[in-house]
Amino acid sequence: MKRTNVRVVNRSSLAANTNPRGKPKGSGSRTIFEALRGQILSAELPPGADIEEQGLVARYGISRTPVREALIKLASEGLVQIVPNRGARVAPLEVSEVPSLLEARELCERAINRWAAVRCTASDLVAIDAACLLFEEASHAGDYNAMASANSDFHAAIACACGNRFVEEHYRIIATQTIRLARMALTTDRGDPPDGRYHETVRQHHRRMVDAIRRRDAEQADCLAKEHAVLFRDRMLKFFETNRAAELDLTSL
């Protein structure tokens, strides 16, 4: 299948996409990493956008070394592509890779849910509960960016509770790849009431996951993760059909 970006690639540079608002607190590669990561995940920097190292050096008043360190770290998360002799650009969202990505995320979420139900601590439950509440507050408010962030934090809290750092790290990498897809899925209800059926179903899934993990019901936690993955997959199918992004059969997952 011919690869097709989810959206039209915008080749504009980082310097053209960001309006300097003064230096953020802190300095070095961590500051650059967090700033770029946020802009990529929110689509402020769209797929395919060029990232100019010199523009970042000038904007933040630092050397090229921390900029390159940040770009390398972003590349390890699959958010940036470093092209020899051309520099860096935001990684495209490849429609042809979506089935494999969603398949991998489902398997990881089922594993972390199951193990979190068996291994979570009291402090883990507090973190999971808090993230669940934040998502509910954001969804009731219709704040789509906050919803996407809170949803990511919710599943990350479960991953942290699974008791296996290797699986947790692997899940975080996969989850990062789907955050941009999640934002599209959440925002396809723009113009509709924030209490739309999809968002209510997500809230119900989250509550039931918390309950299953608290009750140490690994089987139920696993089943809910699968049900949640199907919900998201169907949402993406609706998005692709509506936007005619590509001829892709997500129902085969």
Side-chain angles (χ1 to χ4, degrees), residues 81-182:
Q81 290 180 339
I82 299 177
V83 185
N85 303 317
R86 291 191 58 184
R89 65 184 179 186
V90 179
L93 288 170
E94 299 291 356
V95 172
S96 61
E97 295 178 351
V98 170
S100 295
L101 181 60
L102 297 184
E103 183 178 61
R105 177 158 180 157
E106 177 185 337
L107 289 174
C108 280
E109 286 192 345
R110 291 180 64 181
I112 63 175
N113 272 35
R114 173 177 287 276
W115 291 340
V118 175
R119 302 168 178 171
C120 71
T121 64
S123 60
D124 289 330
L125 281 172
V126 170
I128 295 170
D129 265 326
C132 182
L133 179 60
L134 285 175
F135 179 84
E136 296 214 358
E137 292 175 346
S139 63
H140 283 302
D143 187 336
Y144 294 98
N145 284 332
M147 286 167 67
S149 295
N151 183 67
S152 177
D153 289 344
F154 174 74
H155 293 290
I158 295 175
C160 184
C162 83
N164 187 313
R165 72 178 182 86
F166 298 104
V167 173
E168 179 187 355
E169 290 172 2
H170 190 59
Y171 171 73
R172 287 179 182 275
I173 292 173
I174 292 174
T176 296
Q177 293 299 306
T178 57
I179 289 176
R180 290 187 289 177
L181 295 175

Side-chain angles (χ1 to χ4, degrees), residues 21-68:
R21 302 167 185 166
K23 294 181 183 178
K25 294 180 180 180
S27 60
S29 63
R30 185 68 188 177
T31 297
I32 303 298
F33 169 78
E34 291 178 350
L36 288 177
R37 189 175 190 275
Q39 291 165 357
I40 292 170
L41 295 181
S42 67
E44 182 180 346
L45 279 174
D50 291 329
I51 301 175
E52 295 181 353
E53 287 187 25
Q54 189 56 47
L56 291 168
V57 168
R59 183 183 182 197
Y60 293 106
I62 58 176
S63 67
R64 283 183 175 271
T65 298
V67 171
R68 289 173 178 169

